[in-house]
Amino acid sequence: MKKINNPPIEWLGNRVRILDQTRLPQEEVYLELNNYQAIASAITGLKIRGAPAIGVAGSYGVALGALEIEAKSRDEFLRRLQGISQTLAATRPTAKNLFRAIDRMQQVAAVGEDIEQTKKALIDEAVKIHSEEVEATKKLSQLGAELIQDGFSILTHCNTGTLATAGYGTALGVIKRAKEQSKNIKVLATETRPLLQGARLTTWELKRANIPFTLITDSMAGYFMSRGEVSCVIVGADRIAANGDTANKIGTYSLAVLAKENGIPFYVAAPTTTIDLSLASGDEIPIEQRNPNEVTHIQGVSIAPEGINVANPAFDVTPHKYITTIITERGIIKEPYGEELK
Ligand code: MRU
């Protein structure tokens, strides 16, 4: 299996190297970021994306920001670190992983005494958050692969692999693990409008993993489901509310409803860092609204008249009743999600 040459995100001691996902699949360009503002704009600009990867990037951002602070007192250090954390938290609202990672970093900062020691502790914590995500995605992929049978044709949406997780992957991790178990599987990958994470990134990862796949447009999913050509749907998640309602890439809800109508199992794969028990239901999940240009343009080329009304919600919420199982590193759960998630 061909590996991504360098990890999609890596801590290099005093800077962070990321693979610029906006340039894929045409070019494999690595960027070295040495300040927290650069991390924040890489997250906003989707150079690094996917819920777990955003969490990892956010924690490295806090660590970089801490290194930049020259403070006369511990209070000043903490105040400035708070500002840095707020900038990073303001990048993307939906993925829980980002807020969880930043909270963890704040907690580490709060207990330190000496500023230089706190900076070191923050770097250690960010590296730990990263390695925990790697382990969690490996584990959940192993557990989820049990649901994939030999001969399955699996439909997946968006990109949920190494690129999106800075680890092994969530939905795509499950698919990769099933392939490593020598199961004869094939994948239908949706292109994932408007930003084409499926067409650009998932196909790039599937090709490298030697997994047979077919790229389809988002609107073709029902056609293939109704013809009996989909054995299961598996997607990742950006935030899972306490009742199991799940926010994921726009279009996921439509796939879930279609899957139910066609009697096809619908699986969600996510590390527990994506779960937000503080929200009772998906109604409370903040949904990111992105720039209309992403809809009116494809890779910089305009495809619509100027001055028209455009909507661009980046995520939608799939009610838990459409979800067959949620796969986490701590186990595979079913309804009643309210009790199982706790
Ligand atoms: O806008 P993106 O590309 O960050 O959206 C990513 C997704 O919606 C993924 O499905 C989700 O983060 C799960 S990835 C492990």
Side-chain angles (χ1 to χ4, degrees):
M1 203 168 283
K2 206 166 167 188
K3 290 239 164 62
I4 293 174
N5 293 344
N6 287 309
I9 180 161
E10 194 173 13
W11 176 255
L12 298 179
N14 58 357
R15 62 199 192 285
V16 178
R17 182 171 58 211
I18 63 160
L19 173 55
D20 182 350
Q21 299 188 30
T22 61
R23 309 276 285 270
L24 288 171
Q26 283 82 11
E27 293 174 299
E28 207 171 305
V29 177
Y30 288 87
L31 307 172
E32 290 197 3
L33 312 177
N34 60 10
N35 60 73
Y36 77 91
Q37 291 97 334
I39 297 270
S41 75
I43 297 174
T44 314
L46 305 187
K47 289 180 164 62
I48 181 125
R49 45 143 300 280
I54 295 171
V56 171
S59 60
Y60 284 141
V62 176
L64 270 184
L67 286 184
E68 290 168 60
I69 298 173
E70 284 174 26
K72 293 198 181 66
S73 69
R74 200 177 137 63
D75 277 355
E76 185 194 344
F77 174 78
L78 287 180
R79 207 171 43 250
R80 289 179 56 189
L81 196 70
Q82 179 77 25
I84 288 165
S85 300
Q86 279 165 0
T87 301
L88 289 160
T91 51
R92 298 195 72 193
T94 303
K96 178 65 185 171
N97 310 57
L98 176 64
F99 304 99
R100 198 181 281 280
I102 291 173
D103 280 355
R104 257 178 79 167
M105 297 296 282
Q106 291 282 355
Q107 277 165 28
V108 166
V111 295
E113 290 284 320
D114 170 78
I115 294 177
E116 289 314 307
Q117 272 171 11
T118 304
K119 289 181 181 179
K120 195 178 167 313
L122 284 168
I123 294 172
D124 291 348
E125 188 68 7
V127 171
K128 193 160 167 247
I129 287 171
H130 189 173
S131 65
E132 284 175 13
E133 284 295 46
V134 172
E135 280 316 304
T137 55
K138 264 193 206 151
K139 186 84 201 294
L140 74 87
S141 298
Q142 173 72 26
L143 292 174
E146 287 166 25
L147 300 169
I148 308 296
Q149 292 169 26
D150 199 45
F152 260 26
S153 168
I154 306 156
L155 189 143
T156 192
H157 190 53
C158 199
N159 170 266
T160 59
T162 300
L163 293 170
T165 57
Y168 189 75
T170 57
L172 202 51
V174 171
I175 292 169
K176 286 195 298 184
R177 191 72 196 107
K179 168 74 176 173
E180 284 165 6
Q181 293 169 341
S182 303
K183 287 175 187 158
N184 174 25
I185 52 166
K186 56 185 186 195
V187 175
L188 281 173
T190 56
E191 62 171 355
T192 318
R193 277 282 287 149
L195 292 175
L196 305 172
Q197 288 92 333
R200 296 187 301 107
L201 309 176
T202 299
T203 57
W204 186 77
E205 288 202 45
L206 285 166
K207 226 172 146 193
R208 291 178 156 235
N210 280 326
I211 298 173
F213 67 91
T214 304
L215 173 66
I216 61 171
T217 69
D218 301 346
S219 50
M220 293 175 191
Y223 170 87
F224 287 103
M225 288 190 199
S226 68
R227 290 164 60 99
E229 293 182 39
V230 178
S231 320
C232 71
V233 178
I234 179 160
V235 297
D238 285 83
R239 200 185 288 229
I240 302 175
N243 68 346
D245 292 353
T246 294
N248 190 48
K249 180 51 58 195
I250 191 77
T252 302
Y253 167 54
S254 318
L255 292 173
V257 176
L258 276 169
K260 184 146 197 145
E261 170 68 18
N262 287 281
I264 296 165
F266 186 90
Y267 302 131
V268 170
T272 48
T273 44
T274 304
I275 298 169
D276 187 351
L277 293 180
S278 75
L279 304 185
S281 81
D283 295 343
E284 296 172 42
I285 299 176
I287 299 293
E288 179 181 9
Q289 306 291 327
R290 291 187 61 89
N291 194 319
N293 281 350
E294 294 176 348
V295 177
T296 53
H297 291 66
I298 295 186
Q299 307 223 295
V301 178
S302 168
I303 54 157
E306 277 181 27
I308 59 171
N309 287 333
V310 179
N312 189 14
F315 303 95
D316 58 25
V317 174
T318 299
H320 61 90
K321 68 174 179 184
Y322 293 109
I323 301 171
T324 315
T325 60
I326 298 177
I327 303 156
T328 76
E329 77 278 15
R330 290 174 61 184
I332 294 180
I333 56 171
K334 287 179 182 286
E335 294 275 22
Y337 290 114
E339 282 162 36
E340 293 287 309
L341 282 169
K342 268 186 220 150

